[in-house]
């Protein structure tokens, strides 16, 4: 992908221009972002996905008298209202994990870091259907896939939500702009931009290419847990003596008149232990890579075959593979990598594939590791 060439997907902006002018700043409406686009995931496939236990889905309906209703999935076909009934919508999350064409569509957005791309959600709406005016905490690209949808958007300051509803609906939505999107049109919205999308006519399908951005506290809890668990394994190792060892010792402790008081030396030991657990080179980076590549819940892989000589590699669509300066991460695991193997692994992560000629250059160790990944179904040979 040429980051400095105009792209129809971004309305004639290059990825570099888009990132500078719009990313996290202001919306962008793109007419015919994907010219002649026809929805690659048919309605019937979407309904089948919504009925599955391992797929996250929601059914939202609105009624002038009864107001909003929400049903969490799985949503069996018989639970869906008739297609001719107005004002209902079915939302199916993570379609890219289950459908190769949906996964392929996400690849067009890889001018963004993989660590930021989350998933492809598909909504199906009957005439008048939508989820009400709201805001999301993440950036989103809303691609119209079939039928028409009217989007009203606004830079809303007042983010108060209506009380007592099963979903987040803004209490005082003040739209500033309105557009009707046709198949192939796309709307980019930065985080917290208020929006309301209403199906105009039936059979309205919208694809949301969603971003993920970890909240500081949640990320800290996850990383600290991972680091603590890795440290547990180390604590089983034989101990070294003295304060630099792993257990507190207090030779020289004077008798105490105030027994409830925590010794200052113990406080210092605790501070040192926590700092040491975090201070090792790359500890946090390593935990971050493992966390970012952790497969989503409900994702499992089917066993596969080790590659034969002369075969190339392709990542399974569910595989998450990232790297940093020292490590390669795949599906929650981390590996130290350097030299030519690191170059090849990074290429595999960036291209999500390696040609047979490229893979032939890998060391015996790297080939053995890749064989394990292939057997686990994370990578496919071919
Ligand atoms: C929808 O597709 O109906 C909702 C998407 C969104 O507003 O984020
Ligand atoms: Co939204």
């Amino acid at each position: 992908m040429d980051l400095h060439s105009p792209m129809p997907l971004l309305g004639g902006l290059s990825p570099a221009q888009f990132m500078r002018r719009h990313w996290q700043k202001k919306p962008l409406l793109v007419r015919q972002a994907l010219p002649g686009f026809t929805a690659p995931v048919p309605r019937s496939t979407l309904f089948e996905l919504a009925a599955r236990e391992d797929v996250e889905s929601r059914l939202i309906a609105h009624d002038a008298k009864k107001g909003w209703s929400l049903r969490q999935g799985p949503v069996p076909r018989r639970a869906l209202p008739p297609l001719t009934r107005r004002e209902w919508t079915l939302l199916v999350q993570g379609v890219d994990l289950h459908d190769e064409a949906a996964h392929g569509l996400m690849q067009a957005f890889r001018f963004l870091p993989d660590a930021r791309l989350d998933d492809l959600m598909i909504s199906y709406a009957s005439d008048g259907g939508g989820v009400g005016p709201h805001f999301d905490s993440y950036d989103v690209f809303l691609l119209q896939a079939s039928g028409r949808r009217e989007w009203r958007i606004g830079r809303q300051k007042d983010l108060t939500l209506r009380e007592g509803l099963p979903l987040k609906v803004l209490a005082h939505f003040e739209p500033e702009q309105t557009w009707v999107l046709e198949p192939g049109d796309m709307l980019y919205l930065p985080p917290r931009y208020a929006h309301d999308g209403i199906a105009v006519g039936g059979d309205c399908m919208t694809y949301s290419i969603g971003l993920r951005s970890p909240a500081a506290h949640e990320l800290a809890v996850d990383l600290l847990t991972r680091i603590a668990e890795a440290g547990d394994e180390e604590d089983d190792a034989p101990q070294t003596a003295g304060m630099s060892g792993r257990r507190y010792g207090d030779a020289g402790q004077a008798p105490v008149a105030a027994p409830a008081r925590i010794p200052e030396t113990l406080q210092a030991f605790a501070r040192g232990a926590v700092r040491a657990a975090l201070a090792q080179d790359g500890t946090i980076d390593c935990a971050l890579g493992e966390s970012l590549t952790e497969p989503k819940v409900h994702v499992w892989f089917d066993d596969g075959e080790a590659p034969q000589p002369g075969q190339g590699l392709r990542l399974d669509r569910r595989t998450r593979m990232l790297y940093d300066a020292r490590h390669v991460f795949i599906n929650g695991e981390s590996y130290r990598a350097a030299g030519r193997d690191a170059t090849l692994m990074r290429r595999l992560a960036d291209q999500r594939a390696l040609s047979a000629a490229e893979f032939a250059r890998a060391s015996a160790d790297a080939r053995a590791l890749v064989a394990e990944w292939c057997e686990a179904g994370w990578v496919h040979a071919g």
Side-chain angles (χ1 to χ4, degrees):
M1 190 182 298
D2 182 352
L3 304 180
H4 297 280
S5 286
M7 280 174 61
L9 182 73
L10 300 173
L13 297 179
S14 67
Q17 288 169 321
F18 170 77
M19 294 307 279
R20 211 166 42 241
R21 295 182 200 168
H22 292 275
W23 184 246
Q24 301 239 302
K25 294 190 193 86
K26 58 178 183 181
L28 177 67
L29 171 72
V30 182
R31 293 290 182 195
Q32 292 306 286
L34 294 173
F37 183 65
T38 48
V41 184
R43 179 177 78 195
S44 54
T45 306
L46 192 69
F47 290 176
E48 279 165 26
L49 283 173
R52 278 169 54 168
E53 293 278 350
D54 60 337
V55 176
E56 197 186 326
S57 62
R58 284 166 291 161
L59 175 64
I60 293 172
H62 183 257
D63 180 294
K65 277 199 221 104
K66 293 189 217 138
W68 291 99
S69 71
L70 165 73
R71 174 191 168 136
Q72 295 289 353
V75 185
R77 181 71 184 84
R78 68 191 134 70
L80 292 177
L83 302 187
T84 49
R85 181 176 303 161
R86 284 181 48 82
E87 293 193 58
W88 64 269
T89 185
L90 175 72
L91 307 162
V92 183
Q93 213 72 51
V95 180
D96 53 303
L97 295 173
H98 305 283
D99 185 279
E100 205 58 43
H103 172 73
L105 189 60
M106 295 276 287
Q107 308 310 299
F109 296 85
R110 289 187 79 214
F111 55 87
L112 296 163
D114 287 344
R116 291 280 276 125
L117 276 171
D118 188 10
D119 74 336
L120 181 84
M121 180 188 86
I122 301 185
S123 69
Y124 173 89
S126 69
D127 190 15
V131 300
H134 66 282
F135 65 91
D136 299 304
S137 313
Y138 315 99
D139 312 75
V140 65
F141 295 90
L142 299 154
L143 173 66
Q144 194 57 23
S146 77
R148 301 160 77 220
R149 186 184 284 273
E150 181 183 272
W151 284 104
R152 295 182 300 150
I153 69 168
R155 273 167 304 182
Q156 184 100 14
K157 288 263 179 324
D158 178 358
L159 297 178
T160 315
L161 299 174
R162 282 178 55 186
E163 277 177 29
L165 296 187
L167 58 161
K168 289 181 177 173
V169 177
L170 283 166
H172 314 287
F173 181 46
E174 290 170 30
E176 296 166 320
Q177 283 170 297
T178 302
W179 300 289
V180 175
L181 270 66
E182 309 267 348
D185 293 347
M186 188 175 78
L187 176 62
Y188 161 74
L189 292 176
R192 301 173 81 79
Y193 219 95
H195 53 284
D196 188 15
I198 297 172
V200 182
D203 253 342
C204 169
M205 280 199 272
T206 305
Y207 290 11
S208 296
I209 293 97
L211 278 293
R212 59 173 174 157
S213 51
H217 180 69
E218 275 169 36
L219 188 62
V221 169
D222 181 15
L223 301 193
L224 289 170
T225 308
R226 284 169 190 277
I227 292 166
E229 279 165 6
D232 266 358
E233 287 162 21
E234 275 170 31
D235 273 356
D236 293 338
Q239 288 184 22
T240 48
M243 276 292 286
S244 61
R246 293 193 176 89
R247 198 168 295 280
Y248 176 63
D250 55 359
Q253 166 75 53
V256 293
R261 188 181 180 105
I262 297 172
E264 281 176 17
T265 48
L266 180 51
Q267 286 178 322
F269 177 82
R271 287 193 295 266
V274 172
R275 286 194 195 112
L278 295 174
Q280 274 166 32
D281 237 9
T283 301
I284 297 174
D285 296 347
C286 189
L288 176 64
E290 291 178 7
S291 165
L292 290 172
T293 56
E294 196 65 64
K296 291 202 170 177
V297 277
H298 297 315
V299 166
W300 65 80
F301 296 87
D302 301 321
D303 291 351
E305 306 264 319
Q308 299 299 315
Q311 287 189 306
L313 304 173
R314 177 177 56 80
L315 297 189
D316 184 87
R317 65 169 175 271
R318 288 155 292 201
T319 284
R320 287 178 161 174
M321 188 173 186
L322 302 171
Y323 59 87
D324 67 16
R326 291 197 192 84
H327 308 91
V328 167
F329 307 99
I330 181 165
N331 293 338
E333 293 190 2
S334 56
Y335 302 89
R336 281 266 193 185
R340 192 202 297 164
D341 283 341
T343 309
L344 288 172
M345 294 296 188
R346 289 171 186 184
R347 200 167 294 163
L348 175 60
D350 279 330
Q351 300 173 169
R352 297 188 65 82
L354 267 192
S355 69
E358 286 171 318
F359 184 42
R361 303 177 61 224
S363 70
D365 282 353
R367 296 182 68 81
L369 192 56
V370 167
E372 282 176 28
W373 297 346
C374 287
E375 280 160 9
W378 297 357
V379 181
H380 304 294

